[in-house]
Amino acid sequence: MKLYLASQSPRRKQLLTDLGVAFEVLSIEVDESTKALESAEDYVARLGEAKARAGLDILAGRGESDVLTLGSDTTVVADQDILGKPRDYDDFADMMERLSGRSHRVFTSVAVASHESVEVKVVESRVVFAELEPEAVRAYWDSGEPQDKAGGYSVQGLGAVFIKRIEGSYSAIVGLPLRETAQLLTKRGLAVWSGALGRV
């Protein structure tokens, strides 16, 4: 069965490559707006599944049926508020003020779908930021890294210097929870780099 990653994210492509599975990439479009009273966990689960299903729709149009698609979404939550990608510097600076010196949660979903069924897992992690100086916040924005990142920072990039501690799955914070992804793929009969992962 052929696997497709329903994402153009270079981080997710690298993480899935690290699992040692063969896959191709699909470019998909989904509405990422939140719904009223929707929790962060429900939000990322819905988007992960929506991306996987959008991939299936593209493949169905090509006449491909014996396929699996993988969709994923990550969001940062502070004070119950979902922090998306910063609109501009002021929005970014407000995010950094909310994260500075505090812990926040990161939710990441992974969905694996076929034309018969879809299964979704959501992973919650916690990140603790150091106190941030205004000069560091401005310099980080000027680096160009925060502009397309949920919550305004990249855990595997320059933003790592702001982080005091991580509790949970590092790979999930980057963009794809590898343990849960391995579980879902081996359940569907795809071999990852070690057959032992099918038993985790």
Side-chain angles (χ1 to χ4, degrees):
M1 186 173 285
K2 198 167 185 178
L3 176 66
Y4 289 87
L5 173 63
S7 173
Q8 289 287 326
S9 164
R11 297 169 297 282
R12 291 194 176 106
K13 284 190 278 188
Q14 183 58 57
L15 286 167
L16 194 53
T17 298
D18 290 345
L19 280 184
V21 294
F23 66 94
E24 293 186 20
V25 174
L26 290 173
S27 177
I28 52 97
E29 295 284 343
V30 298
D31 180 3
E32 297 191 2
S33 57
T34 58
K35 295 182 178 181
L37 304 179
E38 184 174 38
S39 70
E41 184 172 2
D42 289 344
Y43 172 71
V44 296
R46 177 172 61 83
L47 285 190
E49 180 174 346
K51 291 174 181 180
R53 290 190 182 278
L56 285 178
D57 289 343
I58 292 172
L59 296 169
R62 298 180 186 174
E64 296 189 48
S65 57
D66 191 23
V67 294
L68 290 175
T69 57
L70 188 152
S72 181
D73 192 72
T74 301
T75 196
V76 174
V77 180
D79 303 317
Q80 307 303 316
D81 294 329
I82 294 173
L83 304 185
K85 298 172 184 177
R87 297 183 301 273
D88 51 32
Y89 176 73
D90 289 338
D91 188 36
F92 165 73
D94 179 63
M95 288 183 186
M96 293 300 101
E97 183 175 352
R98 297 183 68 177
L99 300 180
S100 176
R102 303 178 58 196
S103 70
H104 61 273
R105 295 178 295 162
V106 179
F107 289 90
T108 302
S109 65
V110 55
V112 174
S114 68
H115 288 291
E116 289 74 38
S117 64
V118 60
E119 189 171 357
V120 184
K121 288 180 178 283
V122 176
V123 175
E124 178 182 352
S125 305
R126 189 171 295 273
V127 179
V128 181
F129 262 34
E131 293 281 352
L132 305 184
E133 298 295 333
E135 296 82 2
V137 171
R138 180 77 238 191
Y140 186 41
W141 176 261
D142 289 343
S143 75
E145 185 175 274
Q147 280 83 337
D148 66 341
K149 304 295 188 300
Y153 75 93
S154 171
V155 68
Q156 80 281 12
L158 301 175
V161 300
F162 296 156
I163 296 171
K164 291 179 67 176
R165 186 170 69 255
I166 289 172
E167 300 169 6
S169 169
Y170 172 78
S171 66
I173 298 169
V174 175
L176 190 67
L178 289 185
R179 178 184 174 88
E180 291 73 14
T181 300
Q183 290 173 328
L184 291 177
L185 293 179
T186 53
K187 186 175 179 179
R188 298 292 188 120
L190 293 184
V192 296
W193 64 266
S194 168
L197 284 177
R199 300 190 296 272
V200 297

